[in-house]
């Protein structure tokens, strides 16, 4: 399935336009239906399945991504390595690996599940709402990045101290600290105590 902006449609095998659908879930993460992507993000937001990936280099530094300026939601802000939504019926792990490759041109290694977190974060800039049941993943990146400029404006590897410095001066996604804090136990297990996470 091709990757397109949320506002665009793509053609199905029958040649008809098909909306990008998200998987709606209940408070326990059980699938209850589907909804078009932009509709699911309109206030007050519909609870849907999402994923967030945190990749680290061999020195224990976190790979941050600055979202491309052309993105419809939270353009230009810094966030975790990769985040997105599985297609309906797609396993979150598979979606996380797929989108990481599509956005950054790398396949994560040692990627593991790091739990889930549920949140409700309005985005004041766009007026959209992130009502998400988010599957968290941590892993390593061991090859050169090849970011897609349609998706990624910039990247940076940061230590915890560098992240704190950057977080104080740059704009980050509304969900960033929520997902990072929820993933910290798995991050510490992956990177070891010396990395400082």
């Amino acid at each position: 399935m091709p990757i397109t902006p949320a506002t665009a449609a793509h053609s199905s095998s029958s040649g008809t336009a098909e909306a990008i659908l998200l998987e709606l879930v209940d408070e326990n993460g059980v699938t209850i239906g589907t909804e078009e992507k932009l509709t699911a993000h309109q206030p007050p937001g519909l609870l849907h399945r999402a994923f967030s990936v945190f990749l680290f280099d061999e020195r224990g530094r976190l790979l941050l991504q600055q979202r491309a300026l052309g993105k419809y939601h939270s353009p230009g802000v810094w966030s975790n390595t990769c985040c997105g939504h599985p297609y309906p019926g797609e396993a979150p792990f598979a979606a996380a690996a797929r989108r990481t490759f599509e956005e950054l041109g790398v396949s994560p290694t040692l990627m593991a599940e790091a739990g889930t977190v549920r949140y409700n974060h309005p985005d004041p800039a766009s007026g959209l709402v992130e009502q998400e049941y988010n599957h968290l993943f941590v892993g390593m990146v061991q090859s050169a990045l090849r970011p897609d400029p349609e998706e990624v404006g910039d990247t940076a590897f940061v230590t915890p101290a560098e992240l704190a410095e950057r977080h104080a001066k740059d704009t980050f996604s509304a969900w960033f600290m929520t997902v990072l804090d929820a993933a910290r136990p798995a991050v510490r297990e992956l990177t070891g105590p010396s990395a400082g996470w």
Side-chain angles (χ1 to χ4, degrees):
M1 182 177 283
I3 301 307
T4 56
T7 52
H10 58 81
S11 296
S12 68
S13 55
S14 62
T16 58
E18 183 183 335
I20 296 173
L21 297 177
L22 304 185
E23 201 169 83
L24 301 181
V25 298
D26 66 15
E27 293 292 339
N28 298 310
V30 176
T31 303
I32 57 171
T34 59
E35 185 53 79
E36 192 277 324
K37 188 174 183 178
L38 275 178
T39 302
H41 288 89
Q42 297 297 323
L46 298 172
L47 185 59
H48 57 275
R49 194 175 309 284
F51 64 81
S52 288
V53 178
F54 297 86
L55 296 184
F56 297 82
D57 67 9
E58 69 285 347
R59 292 166 50 191
R61 298 179 304 167
L62 171 60
L63 173 58
L64 297 178
Q65 173 190 140
Q66 185 181 36
R67 295 165 63 85
L69 290 174
K71 291 182 85 80
Y72 79 102
H73 190 345
S74 303
V77 305
W78 287 90
S79 199
N80 49 294
T81 308
C82 179
C83 53
H85 309 93
Y87 294 124
E90 183 182 25
F93 186 94
R98 171 180 58 78
R99 281 304 285 159
T100 300
F101 185 79
E102 290 169 353
E103 291 186 9
L104 294 159
V106 293
S107 295
T109 56
L110 303 174
M111 195 167 78
E113 293 181 13
T116 58
V117 63
R118 190 258 195 256
Y119 53 77
N120 173 4
H121 285 301
D123 176 32
S126 68
L128 300 175
V129 178
E130 290 288 5
Q131 282 269 20
E132 294 190 330
Y133 187 93
N134 198 307
H135 297 258
L136 308 171
F137 299 95
V138 299
M140 304 290 291
V141 59
Q142 298 177 307
S143 52
L145 303 177
R146 296 185 316 278
D148 177 352
E150 297 282 315
E151 299 285 348
V152 180
D154 199 1
T155 59
F157 283 96
V158 295
T159 65
E162 290 166 341
L163 174 60
E165 215 173 275
R166 187 180 285 262
H167 196 263
K169 66 180 179 67
D170 293 334
T171 305
F172 276 71
S173 64
W175 61 87
F176 175 73
M177 287 309 298
T178 300
V179 292
L180 176 59
D181 287 344
R184 277 188 200 273
V187 168
R188 290 185 187 116
E189 189 176 333
L190 176 73
T191 60
S194 63
W197 294 102

